[in-house]
Amino acid sequence: MASLKEKIAYALGDAAAGGITWKIMSIAFPLFFTNIFGLTVADAATLMLVARLFDVVTDPLVGAIADRTRSRWGTYRPWLIFGALPLGVIFALLLYTPDLGPAGKRIWAYTMYLLMMAVYTAVNVPYGSLMGVMTEDDNEKNQFSSFRMVGAYAFGFITLLSFPYLQKLIGGSEAHQYSVIGAIFGLVAAVMTLLCGLMTRERISPPRAEKFSFRPFGHLFRNKPWIYLTLAGVCSNLFNGFRYAVAGYMITYCLGGDVSAGRLIINYTVFMTFGEVTSMIFGGLSPAVTRWLGSKKKAFSCAAGLCALSSLAFYFIPMSPGYIWVMILIVVLTSVGIGIYSPLLWSMYADVADYSISLHGTSSTGLIFSSGTMAQKLGSALSGGLVAVLLGVAGFSSGTDPQTGLAVVSISDIGTVTQMIWSMFSIFPALFAALMLLFIRIYPIRK
């Protein structure tokens, strides 16, 4: 039986990865790269698409290698212990804007982004796999998964809510603000990742193939539960990816900038914070909701349906700052569904790993859990790239002034751009949530 201390320690791993580094990369990077760093829309789209698609290939490889790791710290924990510092340092460098011309900036952005994706994979794939060897109890797996999601959403809430206030406190140019914020959050993420690796335990040693082989990769594509769950995971990350990637543009261009509500500054990070705290609460309630509905599959289906309907409803809200609280209400409602299904996704990967062992006799836990981060990065790659491409199609362009080295933005038709942004926060996510529901309905494991 795992202690509360260990469950909290496990939560720190996703608080660092999902709540800090990935959250900022998802919500801040599209706007940061075009409006602050100074990449063109085409460069930003290519960067997010190519770098993350490259990482989609490396995820299963890291999972397979991690499955065969032997050390005094165990199989998966050493990846967290020794990957913590590189994760924090490279994240900080990624948010730094060097004093270079357009070509130099492009090289910096691509280099740092590829390095960040590589180190994120090296830490996060073993972190997800760790849950598969911490306990055999299905209910306890749900608890670990729930703690993981609460940790991610709790620190996502802290990160996004503090962002505009940290910017104000730091002062100076926006590029300077992002650089300092990157250093602060990079340090916090590194410390939490290290603590997760040091304070958790690996209790299970499932049968493993000692020699590296491509056979387990072939097994995946004959594993129907894995196929449907991974497709649902890709749709889940497309759903979230569009919403987070476009939120900054929506506040800036559809609502005319930050909205003041009393003493509260509602910028794009604070706007999404309301969803984070809701997801945190319902992530903690997810095991209870699952027990009440009778199965993970049914709970996931209900949550996905709620996300589809509430996202569609957002489209019909008037595009005006006066309706900011109506928008926030719909975001909160959507986040109820996200909070319920997010822990279930990782718990269901544990079920798929158990199913694979029963079929093939050896463990591919790391490889199967790598599918979760693979789906995350594929969804984020496609959503981030498509957001930039669709903005360009609508008439949005950006780049770096070769004389001043500053970012410049131009818009040919503001009406077309704002309508595209609004649709990318509502209609597009609704479509992906509906596809996610479809894949879960045909997912064959009925736990």
Side-chain angles (χ1 to χ4, degrees):
M1 178 73 71
S3 67
L4 176 62
K5 179 181 176 182
E6 187 176 6
K7 290 172 184 174
I8 293 172
Y10 185 69
L12 290 177
D14 213 21
I20 296 178
T21 57
W22 195 262
K23 193 66 64 181
I24 292 176
M25 290 169 70
S26 298
I27 193 169
F29 274 19
L31 188 69
F32 168 73
F33 279 131
T34 57
N35 290 37
I36 297 164
F37 192 89
L39 292 183
T40 66
V41 170
D43 279 336
T46 305
L47 170 64
M48 287 182 281
L49 185 62
V50 172
R52 290 184 181 177
L53 284 179
F54 169 77
D55 213 40
V56 166
V57 177
T58 63
D59 277 9
L61 291 175
V62 169
I65 295 168
D67 280 337
R68 290 157 177 80
T69 300
R70 296 290 184 273
S71 78
R72 57 181 290 193
W73 299 278
T75 299
Y76 303 114
R77 291 171 55 235
W79 293 79
L80 279 74
I81 294 168
F82 295 104
L85 182 60
L87 179 75
V89 170
I90 295 171
F91 178 74
L93 291 174
L94 188 53
L95 280 167
Y96 173 70
T97 301
D99 187 15
L100 302 170
K105 281 186 173 181
R106 191 180 301 118
I107 293 169
W108 178 274
Y110 273 81
T111 302
M112 289 301 122
Y113 207 94
L114 283 167
L115 285 173
M116 184 64 201
M117 289 292 94
V119 74
Y120 185 91
T121 296
V123 169
N124 205 244
V125 168
Y127 168 74
S129 306
L130 182 59
M131 184 172 65
V133 296
M134 293 172 75
T135 180
E136 289 183 308
D137 183 79
D138 195 53
N139 185 55
E140 200 164 45
K141 286 178 184 176
N142 284 346
Q143 291 174 21
F144 271 114
S145 188
S146 183
F147 267 82
R148 171 184 183 165
M149 289 298 107
V150 170
Y153 287 124
F155 270 85
F157 166 73
I158 293 168
T159 301
L160 299 184
L161 183 63
S162 64
F163 212 94
Y165 299 98
L166 284 172
Q167 286 183 286
K168 198 172 181 179
L169 180 66
I170 293 164
S173 68
E174 284 190 291
H176 173 68
Q177 292 166 10
Y178 274 78
S179 295
V180 176
I181 287 172
I184 292 169
F185 281 123
L187 175 62
V188 174
V191 171
M192 290 197 298
T193 301
L194 179 62
L195 289 175
C196 177
L198 292 174
M199 296 171 64
T200 50
R201 289 179 58 195
E202 298 185 21
R203 296 176 176 82
I204 302 168
S205 297
R208 295 189 175 109
E210 294 299 326
K211 293 182 179 179
F212 183 84
S213 168
F214 284 100
R215 185 175 297 173
F217 293 89
H219 291 164
L220 283 182
F221 293 96
R222 293 193 295 271
N223 186 329
K224 287 185 178 180
W226 176 82
I227 292 170
Y228 294 130
L229 189 62
T230 299
L231 288 172
V234 171
C235 290
S236 165
N237 286 287
L238 279 165
F239 170 78
N240 280 314
F242 262 87
R243 294 171 69 251
Y244 279 100
V246 84
Y249 296 103
M250 186 179 71
I251 295 293
T252 302
Y253 298 106
C254 296
L255 303 184
D258 297 354
V259 179
S260 296
R263 295 184 178 181
L264 184 64
I265 303 170
I266 302 180
N267 77 335
Y268 68 101
T269 63
V270 174
F271 181 77
M272 298 302 287
T273 296
F274 291 93
E276 291 298 304
V277 71
T278 304
S279 295
M280 177 185 68
I281 293 168
F282 281 87
L285 293 173
S286 182
V289 172
T290 301
R291 287 194 298 271
W292 176 58
L293 290 173
S295 72
K296 298 175 189 177
K297 181 174 178 175
K298 187 177 290 186
F300 201 123
S301 297
C302 291
L306 176 60
C307 289
L309 292 173
S310 57
S311 296
L312 184 62
F314 192 96
Y315 180 79
F316 298 99
I317 303 172
M319 198 185 299
S320 165
Y323 288 86
I324 189 68
W325 290 111
V326 180
M327 299 173 201
I328 289 171
L329 178 63
I330 297 298
V331 166
V332 167
L333 189 61
T334 304
S335 298
V336 170
I338 296 170
I340 292 171
Y341 80 65
S342 294
L344 292 175
L345 186 66
W346 295 104
S347 180
M348 290 160 83
Y349 271 119
D351 296 336
V352 172
D354 292 342
Y355 175 82
S356 178
I357 291 173
S358 70
L359 279 182
H360 306 296
T362 58
S363 173
S364 297
T365 302
L367 179 60
I368 287 170
F369 270 91
S370 74
S371 309
T373 54
M374 181 186 72
Q376 182 183 44
K377 289 168 185 175
L378 179 58
S380 297
L382 294 173
S383 58
L386 284 172
V387 163
V389 168
L390 291 171
L391 282 172
V393 169
F396 181 98
S397 63
S398 62
T400 298
D401 187 318
Q403 261 99 39
T404 65
L406 300 175
V408 290
V409 171
S410 63
I411 295 174
S412 61
D413 186 338
I414 189 64
T416 304
V417 168
T418 54
Q419 192 60 48
M420 177 63 78
I421 291 169
W422 203 254
S423 298
M424 287 194 290
F425 195 84
S426 55
I427 300 296
F428 284 77
L431 173 63
F432 294 123
L435 287 172
M436 179 169 53
L437 173 59
L438 171 64
F439 290 126
I440 286 300
R441 293 296 297 171
I442 55 179
Y443 169 78
I445 296 177
R446 299 187 176 275
K447 282 190 179 182

